[in-house]
Amino acid sequence: MTKVQAAAPVPTPWGLVILLGALTAFAPMSIDMYLPSLPAIGQSLGASAAQTQTTVAAFFAGMAIGQFIYGPASDRFGRRGPILAGIAVYLAATVVCALSTSPEMLIAARFVQALGGCAGGVVARAIVRDRFDHTETARMLSLLMLIMGIAPIVAPLLGGLVLQVAGWRAIFWVLVVFALVVGAFALLRLEESRSEATAVQARAENPFAAFRALLRQPRLVGYALAGALNGATLFTYIAASPVLLIEVYGISSANFGWVFGLNAAGVIGASQANRYLLKYAGPDQVLARASLIAVGFGALLALAAVTGFGERWTVLPLLFLILSTYGFIQGNTMAGALSVDPSRSGSVSALMGGASFGVGAVAASLTGLAYDGTPAPMAVTMALALAGSALVLRFMALPREARI
């Protein structure tokens, strides 16, 4: 990997990084803290297994749809307003989640909760692009993953503890407190960063025209699909992990959070290794190599899962390696996409986030439909997604000089 000549790294604005990291943590906190409570929720509300799973799917759907609201809104009206509005929606919906008396009420509340919670993530990415160039954006997004990545480690453990001590409804009250604290800091400390050029561009076209313009740019679409297909491995794992770890491999519910947290630590470590590599290579060079390595891991996982070779002692380490590639792919694909059309950074962020949640939800659903009591459907889905990610990167997104 050849060293690239770049400007000296910008001093890290840690206050901004921590605040933006907390804003992007709404989704993992709301998903991962909640997973250990699914059986208790089903029993409390008289919900079937399908209905409890639908509460998760409804959240994913809300995250996918909400991205397309807040992204263009942040280009048109500024970054602060949409974030604060989203947190307000999240707070109201989370209170309804805590007070739900039926599965249908909880499903609807989870959908609205996601519609609000997605504001922080989609606008935070636009704020990063407002302030930094292509390479620095990739570095900053990797750093945000360090802050945000604490959530998948802490949330399942905290959720399990709260569940044991106070019941499943208390989990949502903890999320209410989290939203109040982050919302207060955003109100008091977050400065407006949208440029005048972005505002002029947003006022000159409606959101549909903005998305049409973005979809006509092959490189941007390539980055979006590559990031979404790689991210589908994470969504598939999240959906399949309770059954795989607890029922198939016999890992206790108490230890589930530790295994889940270990894989999250792999994502965090990879994202920080990515920051280091970006001192010596451009984001596209890192993407070219990381995507091919991910394909190799995916093929090995599929082979092990289909043949049963090594069972958990082969599948779980390979899962760790595959999920770690997320730390190399996501920040760099996002930075690449944002560099294609910086004047529409809010809409670009929305397109990237919406594609990620949409493709991830489809992959997770297909894995669930094909479930046969083995890790094979999950592994095959991951392998195909990683191969697709590498292909679209090579033929649509990466400039010729970065291809291998």
Side-chain angles (χ1 to χ4, degrees):
M1 201 175 282
T2 58
K3 188 169 183 176
V4 296
Q5 298 298 319
V10 176
T12 302
W14 283 105
L16 178 66
V17 168
I18 293 172
L19 177 54
L20 295 182
L23 288 168
T24 59
F26 273 92
M29 284 290 290
S30 302
I31 296 169
D32 301 334
M33 190 174 175
Y34 163 82
L35 287 177
S37 70
L38 286 179
I41 290 173
Q43 184 176 10
S44 174
L45 298 181
S48 66
Q51 286 176 314
T52 58
Q53 289 296 324
T54 300
T55 64
V56 179
F59 191 89
F60 284 160
M63 288 294 295
I65 294 170
Q67 309 268 341
F68 296 102
I69 299 172
Y70 294 104
S74 74
D75 284 343
R76 183 177 289 263
F77 303 112
R79 310 305 187 198
R80 280 173 47 86
I83 283 180
L84 296 174
I87 292 175
V89 171
Y90 179 92
L91 276 168
T94 306
V95 170
V96 176
C97 287
L99 301 176
S100 292
T101 56
S102 69
E104 294 78 13
M105 184 176 179
L106 181 59
I107 290 168
R110 284 284 285 175
F111 177 78
V112 178
Q113 184 191 40
L115 283 179
C118 72
V122 67
V123 182
R125 295 190 295 266
I127 291 172
V128 171
R129 189 61 185 91
D130 290 341
R131 296 173 178 266
F132 302 100
D133 64 18
H134 184 179
T135 299
E136 284 298 328
T137 293
R139 289 180 182 146
M140 288 296 297
L141 291 173
S142 294
L143 192 56
L144 286 188
M145 290 186 70
L146 173 62
I147 309 298
M148 182 187 71
I150 295 173
I153 296 176
V154 173
L157 299 174
L158 179 60
L161 178 62
V162 173
L163 179 65
Q164 291 181 350
V165 173
W168 68 268
R169 295 182 189 276
I171 291 174
F172 289 107
W173 292 117
V174 171
L175 291 173
V176 166
V177 173
F178 171 76
L180 285 171
V181 171
V182 176
F185 275 94
L187 177 64
L188 298 174
R189 302 298 297 273
L190 185 64
E191 298 178 359
E192 183 57 57
S193 63
R194 181 196 58 169
S195 69
E196 183 58 30
T198 296
V200 171
Q201 179 72 52
R203 287 193 292 266
E205 60 186 5
N206 63 54
F208 296 104
F211 286 122
R212 281 197 303 270
L214 296 179
L215 291 173
R216 287 197 293 265
Q217 302 183 59
R219 285 193 65 209
L220 193 150
V221 173
Y223 282 123
L225 287 176
L229 286 166
N230 178 269
T233 61
L234 183 63
F235 283 89
T236 301
Y237 167 72
I238 290 172
S241 60
V243 173
L244 175 67
L245 298 179
I246 297 172
E247 296 184 13
V248 177
Y249 289 147
I251 295 171
S252 68
S253 298
N255 290 327
F256 169 80
W258 293 105
V259 177
F260 199 90
L262 179 63
N263 285 322
V267 175
I268 294 173
S271 69
Q272 300 320 294
N274 182 61
R275 286 184 65 222
Y276 175 79
L277 288 176
L278 289 172
K279 296 178 181 178
Y280 304 97
D284 288 332
Q285 291 176 293
V286 175
L287 277 174
R289 289 157 177 79
S291 62
L292 292 181
I293 292 170
V295 170
F297 289 148
L300 290 174
L301 176 66
L303 181 63
V306 170
T307 63
F309 177 76
E311 296 186 340
R312 75 174 73 180
W313 306 112
T314 303
V315 169
L316 294 183
L318 285 169
L319 267 177
F320 175 85
L321 293 172
I322 284 174
L323 294 171
S324 294
T325 69
Y326 186 88
F328 291 100
I329 303 294
Q330 294 303 307
N332 291 327
T333 52
M334 180 64 69
L338 288 167
S339 72
V340 173
D341 195 343
S343 66
R344 298 186 177 97
S345 55
S347 296
V348 172
S349 180
L351 183 64
M352 294 288 287
S356 180
F357 275 92
V359 172
V362 170
S365 299
L366 292 176
T367 301
L369 291 173
Y371 179 67
D372 60 359
T374 75
M378 176 197 70
V380 171
T381 299
M382 287 183 170
L384 292 174
L386 292 171
S389 178
L391 286 171
V392 295
L393 267 177
R394 178 174 178 79
F395 293 108
M396 293 183 68
L398 296 180
R400 190 173 299 276
E401 62 271 17
R403 299 174 188 173
I404 296 178

